[in-house]
Amino acid sequence: MIRRPRRNRQTEVIRNMVQETTLTTHDLIYPLFLIDGQNQRVEVKSMPGINRFSIDTVLDEVAACVDLGVKAFAPFPSIPEAQKDKYATESHNPEGLFPSAIREIKRNFPEVALITDVAMDPYNSDGHDGIVENGEILNDETLEVLAKMALTQAQAGADIVAPSDMMDGRIGHVRQVLDANGFQKVAIMAYTAKYASAFYGPFRDALGSAPKAGDKKTYQMNYANSREALIEAELDTLEGADYLMVKPALAYLDVIKLLRDNSSLPIAAYNISGEYAMVKAAAQNGWIDGDKAMVEVLTSIKRAGADIILTYFAKEYAQLLKR
């Protein structure tokens, strides 16, 4: 035999030399859950190791992550039911929980990047990403709310706004409103291919944002489709997106690869709550090695073509690198 591929696997040093995919903390964004109150740190039971934080305690969490080398964060607010309404009015209240948290994080850690969620569901009494009328999700009327929300977040200090609603035309509308108000430097990370997935359960548990009726299949994508992601990517790019995202990640590695092969924009992927919970549950039962599975999952997402990974493993992975 002339060719023996095992020659390049025979020692750790050689394996490291020829390794094709490298994952560092610079590639990761850490999602954070926010709640009202003081000195609050409440575990999300369906996501072992993940907590909801009040603004004061989230500053401690950010500090710990920055020390580990994680400097990009995606906060999400858990809004009390009493503050929710049909039009998600609280979403653009400048003194609300979310803008207040953005201001405090940026005031204490001006060097970090904040990627903020633009969607109605945390604030909507119907639990949907758009205005609901007679069971229908209204598209164009929803855009006005999303733009107000994005502008409020930019004014509070967001570096990147991330529309996750999947309404048609929302990237262009948000870009227009941001630019008209002097926020040309605020980037947009489009949730380009966001699928109607069964893996969102723990996230909705953390935020209490599940739909009160129906499902999200008229706006989130059919998980059987991949070519449709190219249509969404083309539109988001033409409308001014700075990043394209695939969500979820692990069951959609082919879609990540598809966007990577067809776009020159940075590709993000969201390693979501259900994917995290599966690894954690199996590790707690002793069925898999949790650390090794975490690294393998994250590396597979990077290998598929993601430049950026939003993951609840970010802090844990950074800690592993420090060992």
Side-chain angles (χ1 to χ4, degrees), residues 157-170:
D159 300 283
I160 302 170
V161 295
S164 63
D165 54 284
M166 290 301 288
M167 298 296 117
D168 292 339
R170 85 271 196 212

Side-chain angles (χ1 to χ4, degrees), residues 47-285:
M47 300 177 68
I50 299 299
N51 296 282
R52 305 177 189 88
F53 299 97
S54 52
I55 294 176
D56 53 341
T57 59
V58 83
L59 297 177
D60 295 333
E61 183 73 355
V62 171
C65 291
V66 168
D67 287 344
L68 290 166
V70 176
K71 297 183 180 180
F73 302 89
F76 295 88
S78 178
I79 303 298
E81 285 295 323
Q83 295 181 3
K84 298 181 181 182
D85 62 31
K86 179 185 181 70
Y87 299 102
T89 309
E90 184 65 17
S91 69
H92 47 87
N93 172 13
E95 302 306 318
L97 169 65
F98 199 41
S100 298
I102 295 168
R103 283 193 295 270
E104 277 303 294
I105 293 171
K106 290 298 286 187
R107 185 174 69 82
N108 285 273
F109 305 96
E111 76 276 19
V112 307
L114 290 184
I115 299 88
T116 56
D117 183 53
V118 179
M120 285 179 60
D121 57 331
Y123 313 89
N124 187 345
S125 52
D126 293 298
H128 276 284
D129 296 59
I131 298 171
V132 183
E133 286 287 2
N134 300 318
E136 180 184 355
I137 312 301
L138 303 183
N139 191 96
D140 295 10
E141 293 83 348
T142 295
L143 301 187
E144 299 303 319
V145 180
L146 299 176
K148 291 178 183 178
M149 190 186 316
L151 180 58
T152 300
Q153 294 171 3
Q155 290 168 337
D159 300 283
I160 302 170
V161 295
S164 63
D165 54 284
M166 290 301 288
M167 298 296 117
D168 292 339
R170 85 271 196 212
I171 302 302
H173 193 69
V174 167
R175 183 74 274 161
Q176 183 180 24
V177 169
L178 289 176
D179 289 356
N181 285 274
F183 290 98
Q184 293 89 349
K185 291 183 179 180
V186 173
I188 298 177
M189 180 179 288
Y191 281 61
T192 295
K194 183 179 181 181
Y195 287 88
S197 171
F199 291 100
Y200 297 138
F203 178 93
R204 292 174 181 170
D205 175 40
L207 295 188
S209 60
K212 299 297 190 297
D215 55 41
K216 300 191 175 187
K217 292 181 180 179
T218 66
Y219 48 101
Q220 294 181 356
M221 288 174 55
N222 183 344
Y223 57 73
N225 294 355
S226 59
R227 294 193 304 272
E228 187 179 4
L230 294 176
I231 297 172
E232 294 286 358
E234 180 183 15
L235 289 170
D236 287 349
T237 301
L238 290 173
E239 290 175 25
D242 299 285
Y243 308 81
L244 306 179
M245 188 199 295
V246 177
K247 181 182 181 180
L250 196 52
Y252 300 87
L253 297 177
D254 60 319
V255 180
I256 297 171
K257 180 68 162 57
L258 185 64
L259 292 195
R260 174 71 290 148
D261 289 346
N262 287 277
S263 176
S264 58
L265 290 178
I267 304 299
Y270 201 142
N271 176 215
I272 66 168
S273 60
E275 297 167 348
Y276 173 89
M278 287 193 303
V279 172
K280 283 296 185 180
Q284 287 183 343
N285 279 282

Side-chain angles (χ1 to χ4, degrees), residues 307-318:
D307 301 290
I308 303 159
I309 305 172
L310 293 87
T311 178
Y312 302 97
F313 285 121
K315 183 181 179 184
E316 193 172 346
Y317 181 74

Side-chain angles (χ1 to χ4, degrees), residues 18-35:
V18 299
Q19 181 169 309
E20 299 173 20
T21 304
T22 302
L23 181 71
T24 75
T25 55
H26 299 302
D27 305 316
L28 306 179
I29 297 172
Y30 190 30
L32 297 167
F33 296 129
L34 302 169
I35 54 174

